[in-house]
Amino acid sequence: MKKILVCIKRVVDYNVRVRVKPDESGVMLDGLKMSVNPFDEIALEEALRIKERGTNAEVVAVSIGVADTQQQLRTALAMGADRAILVQTDQPIEPLTAAQTILAVVRKENPDLVLLGKQAIDDDANQTGQMLAALWDRPQATYASKLELDGAKATVTREVDAGLETIEVDLPAVVSVDLRLNEPRYVKLPDIMKAKKKPLDVVSLESLGVAPAVWLKAVKTQPPAQRQKGVMVKDVAELVDALKKKGLI
Amino acid sequence: MSKILILGEHDGKTLNPSTHKCVTCAKAIAGAEITVLVLGADTAAVAAQAASIHGVHHVLRVDRPENAHPLAATFAPQIAALAPAYTHVFGPSTSFGKDLTPRVAALLGVPQVSDLMAVEGAHRFRRPIYAGNAIVTVEADAARILVATVRVASFEAAAATGGSAAVASRTLDVVLPTHTRYVGSRSGSTDRPDLQTAARVVSGGRALASAENFKLLYDLADKIGAAVGASRAAVDAGYAPNEMQVGQTGKIISPEVYIAFGISGAIQHLTGIKDARTIVAVNKDPEAPIFEVADLGLVGDLFQVVPEISRILGA
Ligand SMILES: Cc1cc2nc3c(=O)[nH]c(=O)nc-3n(C[C@H](O)[C@H](O)[C@H](O)COP(=O)(O)OP(=O)(O)OC[C@H]3O[C@@H](n4cnc5c(N)ncnc54)[C@H](O)[C@@H]3O)c2cc1C
């Protein structure tokens, strides 16, 4: 294991509830707290643990996004990534374009493993890892809750609807991570200082030969249907009664 | 005209109800011709089930030993070989579909629309973003094959009977990769109804405080014929297995009734239950956000409330 590439997406922090713009053109993002996508943080933590387990793999964080995405990459460097690459663009990037872009980085970097979150909590698409694996013609292990490396192979336990599934993949491979793989470390102040000196390369989509496409047109964005506020009952007898009346138990 | 290929989900014996829900979604596209594809080692039984779904016109079987387990790396090239004869490829938004369809889309060089919740036209759909806090209407290019996952909680299952589709077997000249191998699986299969399709769901959060205490909920569930769910906090703490997690990153469900005990109602959890017909919340904190969405709420200690409900309902 010489090199691990970790994909990082800048997203609205998971504690923030987004609101739809009155003109339905999208969601209001101005001034909202932005963070590393929580699943990507778990992916990075796993890469760091593999490094610290004695493999000494180089951990490279890569992101695609606006100039301010440097903040999230600095967080990744403070957590312990060795260097970072920002593919800077102001365009919205759909998963297929993201996969094509990461593939271009993969071709330059030749990692043994690509780790990324199973989904980003903004568009909840759950596509990029699988698309990257397809374009790269390599294995995918999605929704990982356990990852064991053994030479040129990895054994991955996946969270699936029926429970847990274990697969074995040849490396290099793409592993998309689920919530229970690990608990990411907290960043300490000295690490933030150190991270400022770590290399962060900024490149353009054009330099990677990627032309961002608008594959899907967002026609309008609306708030979800609201549920009516219900009633409070005073005790268990009343609750059971109400449920029985509705034919629910 | 729309020709829709639905990726049938099954365990070799039984077709998963997610397939029936995809059929309902496909039927919402005017004049759609619907084909269900089943890949497996021996799909005779599940192909017959697919053929009898109301509204299905064709069933395609691709049987080969490598298809014994649904590995995306193995399935995707076979689906990509069949896809050009269709305008749409639909998979369910289950772990099976979510793993597989993006790999198919990328092989075809087309984008994917995830989690279709409403059909507005053959290439125009609504889908949730930001944990369901916004709904976006998207339009895809009609000149390309449209790959999508269908948000199963948004559609009723098509009737399992009433159809009489022709079943055809196909042999595909596709070289399959050997870089991905199935090792095994563990499922906490129980006699309780399946969480994703159950009409009644009883669910517990961090407040349950132990796996042992979850038995209170299993007992109640068995009394009323319910499935059991859990919050992420309860799963993370090891009180319940991962397949019980409900929410943005767990299962999105739409039961007739969802009864939450000791769950605070974080947005990530609420995303998973918004489609429940009736939400019932029991929480000792009157300010818990779950009460904002609950149809029936009771402020109380679940350790008193659950046994009391069980007692009132009798043996
Ligand atoms: C990226 C991401 C994805 C996530 N995905 C999910 C997801 O899919 N599903 C999910 O559920 N969460 C998810 N979460 C976590 C979510 O934010 C919450 O942390 C979680 O839902 C809290 O679970 P809880 O309600 O059980 O625990 P808590 O928030 O701790 O709530 C416990 C509740 O129990 C009540 N209580 C305590 N004792 C009693 C008692 N004796 N009787 C009655 N009530 C009692 C308390 O008043 C409190 O309201 C996600 C978080 C992130 C960051």
Side-chain angles (χ1 to χ4, degrees):
Chain A
M1 184 65 44
K2 289 205 192 68
K3 195 188 284 187
I4 306 172
L5 196 70
V6 182
C7 307
I8 302 281
K9 189 176 186 186
R10 171 186 164 92
V11 297
V12 174
D13 188 82
Y14 81 96
N15 274 314
V16 176
R17 190 183 287 255
V18 299
R19 269 174 232 290
V20 169
K21 288 184 188 162
D23 68 358
E24 301 191 338
S25 66
V27 294
M28 293 190 273
L29 296 178
D30 289 350
L32 296 188
K33 182 181 179 202
M34 303 299 284
S35 297
V36 174
N37 177 40
F39 291 96
D40 298 342
E41 222 179 334
I42 295 168
L44 176 58
E45 176 65 36
E46 195 65 17
L48 297 174
R49 290 186 189 185
I50 294 167
K51 177 191 176 81
E52 290 158 4
R53 230 179 273 147
T55 61
N56 214 24
E58 182 184 25
V59 176
V60 182
V62 58
S63 190
I64 312 165
V66 297
D68 279 347
T69 306
Q70 289 203 21
Q71 295 161 2
Q72 281 67 42
L73 286 174
R74 287 288 167 205
T75 303
L77 293 169
M79 276 179 74
D82 295 293
R83 59 190 173 88
I85 302 167
L86 172 60
V87 184
Q88 191 177 318
T89 174
D90 288 333
Q91 316 232 16
I93 297 296
E94 294 179 33
L96 183 56
T97 306
Q100 291 166 339
T101 307
I102 298 162
L103 179 70
V105 175
V106 161
R107 297 263 187 245
K108 287 195 170 170
E109 297 283 344
N110 294 307
D112 305 292
L113 183 63
V114 177
L115 282 167
L116 78 178
K118 72 165 177 175
Q119 73 193 71
I121 59 164
D122 48 5
D123 62 11
D124 283 329
N126 196 328
Q127 300 177 13
T128 305
Q130 298 89 311
M131 287 183 160
L132 170 64
L135 300 177
W136 192 15
D137 200 10
R138 292 306 306 166
Q140 70 188 47
T142 50
Y143 322 140
S145 65
K146 192 169 169 206
L147 170 60
E148 290 164 305
L149 297 171
D150 173 18
K153 290 184 309 196
T155 304
V156 184
T157 303
R158 310 177 51 230
E159 291 201 358
V160 294
D161 290 345
L164 296 171
E165 179 189 274
T166 305
I167 62 172
E168 186 184 82
V169 296
D170 294 337
L171 299 176
V174 178
V175 175
S176 92
V177 312
D178 217 316
L179 292 168
R180 277 169 284 275
L181 182 61
N182 61 50
E183 222 176 289
R185 65 195 64 191
Y186 285 104
V187 176
K188 293 186 219 81
L189 198 61
D191 298 327
I192 297 174
M193 302 313 289
K194 251 193 277 170
K196 289 191 177 144
K197 297 201 195 79
K198 289 184 178 175
L200 193 166
D201 286 340
V202 180
V203 300
S204 65
L205 283 168
E206 297 70 48
S207 74
L208 294 172
V210 179
V214 179
W215 300 99
L216 299 171
K217 199 170 97 201
V219 182
K220 60 182 170 197
T221 305
Q222 296 167 307
Q226 291 302 321
R227 289 187 78 97
Q228 297 285 329
K229 199 168 158 53
V231 295
M232 299 299 287
V233 294
K234 64 173 194 314
D235 57 22
V236 175
E238 200 183 320
L239 178 66
V240 171
D241 227 39
L243 287 171
K244 277 194 174 150
K245 277 209 190 92
K246 291 181 170 217
L248 294 172
I249 55 173
Chain B
M1 196 193 62
S2 299
K3 291 185 71 181
I4 303 180
L5 184 68
I6 292 173
L7 310 180
E9 176 173 3
H10 63 88
D11 60 5
K13 296 184 199 82
T14 314
L15 201 60
N16 191 292
S18 65
T19 308
H20 305 71
K21 295 185 167 204
C22 288
V23 171
T24 302
C25 177
K27 279 197 216 172
I29 295 175
E33 185 180 317
I34 301 172
T35 302
V36 174
L37 169 65
V38 283
L39 295 99
D42 173 7
T43 59
V46 290
Q49 291 163 32
S52 68
I53 300 176
H54 186 84
V56 173
H57 302 97
H58 313 276
V59 174
L60 274 186
R61 295 175 57 184
V62 180
D63 286 19
R64 57 196 282 182
E66 298 94 323
N67 288 347
H69 299 286
L71 295 170
T74 309
F75 276 24
Q78 301 175 66
I79 297 160
L82 292 166
Y86 299 86
T87 57
H88 299 62
V89 177
F90 282 0
S93 63
T94 55
S95 57
F96 160 79
K98 289 191 281 197
D99 180 44
L100 175 58
T101 51
R103 191 157 182 127
V104 174
L107 292 179
L108 295 170
V110 301
Q112 168 177 310
V113 184
S114 295
D115 300 320
L116 300 189
M117 59 184 287
V119 174
E120 294 196 342
H123 292 86
R124 187 173 157 128
F125 308 94
R126 282 158 62 81
R127 65 171 300 260
I129 53 175
Y130 289 97
N133 283 310
I135 309 295
V136 61
T137 303
V138 294
E139 222 165 57
D141 183 353
R144 290 197 194 92
I145 301 172
L146 186 119
V147 176
T149 55
V150 172
R151 186 174 180 276
V152 290
S154 297
F155 298 91
E156 302 275 335
T161 55
S164 53
V167 179
S169 285
R170 290 287 296 270
T171 349
L172 298 172
D173 188 17
V174 177
V175 182
L176 300 180
T178 54
H179 53 48
T180 307
R181 297 167 293 273
Y182 175 83
V183 177
S185 43
R186 174 201 69 64
S187 81
S189 62
T190 62
D191 297 337
R192 272 177 218 108
D194 172 52
L195 179 57
Q196 251 153 333
T197 47
R200 296 166 181 180
V201 175
V202 169
S203 191
R206 194 198 309 272
L208 267 293
S210 72
E212 182 72 14
N213 288 338
F214 252 84
K215 290 207 184 97
L216 284 172
L217 298 190
Y218 298 134
D219 288 347
L220 175 60
D222 291 343
K223 276 210 167 79
I224 63 172
V228 181
S231 72
R232 174 192 169 186
V235 176
D236 282 2
Y239 309 159
N242 66 281
E243 61 268 27
M244 276 168 50
Q245 183 177 318
V246 172
Q248 180 186 18
T249 53
K251 287 178 180 149
I252 312 273
I253 57 175
S254 51
E256 290 293 316
V257 61
Y258 183 79
I259 313 181
F261 293 99
I263 293 179
S264 60
I267 39 177
Q268 293 89 2
H269 187 81
L270 299 183
T271 309
I273 62 170
K274 272 183 190 151
D275 294 288
R277 197 70 54 83
T278 299
I279 296 175
V280 180
V282 176
N283 195 303
K284 69 177 185 189
D285 174 10
E287 305 292 320
I290 189 133
F291 288 127
E292 307 275 318
V293 299
D295 301 282
L296 284 171
L298 174 62
V299 177
D301 184 338
L302 75 93
F303 293 107
Q304 285 159 11
V305 172
V306 178
E308 204 175 329
I309 298 177
S310 289
R311 196 169 55 242
I312 294 176
L313 293 178

